[in-house]
Amino acid sequence: MRKWLFLIVPLLVISLGADAQKQRKRPPKQKQITAEQAQKEAAEKKAAQRAEIEGKYSDRLDHHKSIQDKSTQKRMKRNMKRSQKQSWGKDVPWYKRWFRKRRV
């Protein structure tokens, strides 16, 4: 009886680690995204892209200004001031400008 016991116990211990089939790892469950969350993420992504584009544009504009000579920089500044003066308040359509309350 002891012979059989010494023979069976080690075999049982060895067989514990042996599986008949390999266990597959299950992919983690994907979280459910609501429509509001999707819209919010899309808006954030669009804002980030817009900020990146504007940053690149301002960097290029600064570089363009920096490579001009002194007289050209003065002329550019003068023309920019004149342009801003002429277009003041024109960010709103004419029909809204006509009928808005004036601050006196």
Side-chain angles (χ1 to χ4, degrees):
M1 184 71 175
R2 286 186 180 171
K3 286 183 186 179
W4 290 106
L5 190 60
F6 285 120
L7 182 64
I8 293 175
V9 171
L11 290 176
L12 287 175
V13 172
I14 292 172
S15 68
L16 287 177
D19 292 329
Q21 295 178 350
K22 189 175 184 180
Q23 294 290 328
R24 287 187 286 165
K25 289 185 179 180
R26 294 183 180 174
K29 292 183 179 179
Q30 295 178 352
K31 61 180 180 179
Q32 296 293 333
I33 298 176
T34 63
E36 294 172 357
Q37 289 175 341
Q39 288 177 350
K40 185 177 178 182
E41 289 177 5
E44 289 174 356
K45 185 177 178 181
K46 189 174 182 179
Q49 288 176 344
R50 179 75 176 173
E52 183 181 352
I53 290 170
E54 287 177 359
K56 287 181 180 180
Y57 177 77
S58 65
D59 289 344
R60 289 193 310 259
L61 187 63
D62 291 342
H63 179 262
H64 171 70
K65 288 179 183 177
S66 68
I67 62 174
Q68 306 302 324
D69 60 347
K70 186 82 168 180
S71 62
T72 307
Q73 286 180 359
K74 285 185 177 182
R75 188 175 68 243
M76 287 168 64
K77 186 175 182 180
R78 188 174 59 240
N79 287 338
M80 179 61 80
K81 285 186 177 184
R82 188 182 308 153
S83 168
Q84 288 174 347
K85 191 180 216 181
Q86 290 175 352
S87 66
W88 181 81
K90 300 221 172 130
D91 53 340
V92 185
W94 62 271
Y95 54 87
K96 288 188 178 181
R97 281 184 277 146
W98 276 14
F99 300 108
R100 68 180 171 195
K101 291 182 182 179
R102 302 211 179 213
R103 293 181 185 171
V104 181

